[in-house]
Amino acid sequence: MDIYFLGGGNMAEAIAGGLVKQDGYRVCIADCSIEKRERLARELGVRVSEKLPALNAEDVLVLAVKPQDMQAACADVQTNGALVLSVAAGLGINTLSRCLGGTRRIVRVMPNTPAGVGLGVSGMFAGEGAGEADKRLAQNVMAAVGETVWLPSEAQMHAITAVSGSGPAYVFYLMNALQTAAVQQGFDEATARRLSLATFKGAAALAELSGEDFSILQQNVTSKGGTTAAAIEAFNAHRLPEAVAAGVEACAARSREIAQQFKAV
């Protein structure tokens, strides 16, 4: 199967890198930058081109250009019935369809950056022009770089953006905060980073292995009146859970704002 990418940015590279490790996929990346094309061809072993070749209905086209560049990038694209996957944040099915000459065989995808190491999670929504076979195909493509979650409505693309799409940044933010706190407790930078990274990595692995609710796992570490309880009390006093919820809502709200802006495209 031929899978074409329009745009060779970080997410395209991550998805293509996962696909080339699977059997049955032939990947081609179209990008206007010759330097990027040469690097992708060298590092991933994929075909590259400045523009997309002629497509057909058995192909998959992944739109991986910036949202603000989508209309111009798609000006000369003829999908010819190919299944279209879009990883462009904020661009709805209707907008994408207008950019592509009216095709409705479109699946929107919101991946996240851990896709680059095969541990991503992608929120997915299929437009009414994409059938069950298209959904299975789209899922197989994104499964090459991690887990997939199908959304019941396009509106939930904003929510998945706020939770898992932007979620790695929240985790890195907290990792950095713990590293900074470790330095304040007297550890050198390298040791502080190692402690923070190992703590997050180990906790995530334990949570996945145990299958327990996160709240139960927290309680298992938190003895009444103990040291961990003192830390949790301080977090609650500073309203950390509310701050996280507010951040997620702010992200979702911004996603909705961007979508409104692009409706005029």
Side-chain angles (χ1 to χ4, degrees):
M1 176 180 296
D2 291 307
I3 300 182
Y4 296 93
F5 288 79
L6 182 59
N10 292 336
M11 191 51 65
E13 183 175 355
I15 299 171
L19 289 171
V20 297
K21 298 174 184 176
Q22 311 291 319
D23 292 329
Y25 295 116
R26 295 180 297 274
V27 176
C28 178
I29 301 177
D31 194 278
C32 59
S33 168
I34 186 171
E35 291 83 5
K36 186 174 293 184
R37 294 198 304 269
E38 291 175 348
R39 183 180 64 80
L40 291 171
R42 181 175 65 254
E43 295 182 1
L44 297 183
V46 298
R47 292 176 293 157
V48 295
S49 63
E50 184 177 1
K51 295 183 178 181
L52 289 172
L55 304 178
N56 60 59
E58 288 71 42
D59 297 331
V60 175
L61 170 61
V62 181
L63 301 178
V65 298
K66 295 178 180 178
Q68 62 269 29
D69 299 332
M70 186 65 72
Q71 188 174 33
C74 291
D76 297 324
V77 174
Q78 299 293 324
T79 62
N80 297 319
L83 174 62
V84 177
L85 274 58
S86 172
V87 299
L91 295 186
I93 298 290
N94 290 336
T95 301
L96 292 165
S97 180
R98 288 197 301 272
C99 291
L100 292 168
T103 184
R104 306 293 293 181
R105 196 183 175 200
I106 300 173
V107 175
R108 287 186 63 188
V109 182
M110 174 49 65
N112 61 9
T113 54
V117 292
L119 295 173
V121 58
S122 299
M124 306 179 71
F125 174 78
E128 74 279 4
E132 289 301 316
D134 294 328
K135 291 178 65 176
R136 289 193 294 271
L137 177 53
Q139 181 163 322
N140 288 340
V141 170
M142 296 312 301
V145 292
E147 300 183 28
T148 59
V149 176
W150 284 100
L151 306 178
S153 70
E154 189 170 13
Q156 278 204 299
M157 290 297 290
H158 303 301
I160 201 97
T161 297
V163 175
S164 59
S166 297
Y170 313 156
V171 175
F172 298 142
Y173 185 94
L174 294 173
M175 291 173 73
N176 185 62
L178 184 58
Q179 177 181 331
T180 299
V183 170
Q184 293 170 351
Q185 292 295 319
F187 293 100
D188 60 74
E189 288 280 355
T191 303
R193 186 183 191 281
R194 179 183 174 194
L195 289 171
S196 180
L197 181 59
T199 299
F200 274 79
K201 182 178 179 181
L206 177 59
E208 183 172 29
L209 183 64
S210 70
E212 293 274 13
D213 287 344
F214 299 144
S215 61
I216 298 299
L217 292 169
Q218 177 193 312
Q219 292 172 20
N220 290 344
V221 189
T222 310
S223 301
K224 186 176 181 179
T227 56
T228 306
I232 299 299
E233 288 173 6
F235 293 155
N236 288 336
H238 285 82
R239 303 176 67 85
L240 182 57
E242 290 90 339
V244 172
V248 170
E249 174 52 33
C251 183
R254 180 56 181 154
S255 179
R256 290 190 289 268
E257 289 175 0
I258 293 173
Q260 285 298 119
Q261 294 171 5
F262 284 124
K263 278 186 178 180
V265 172

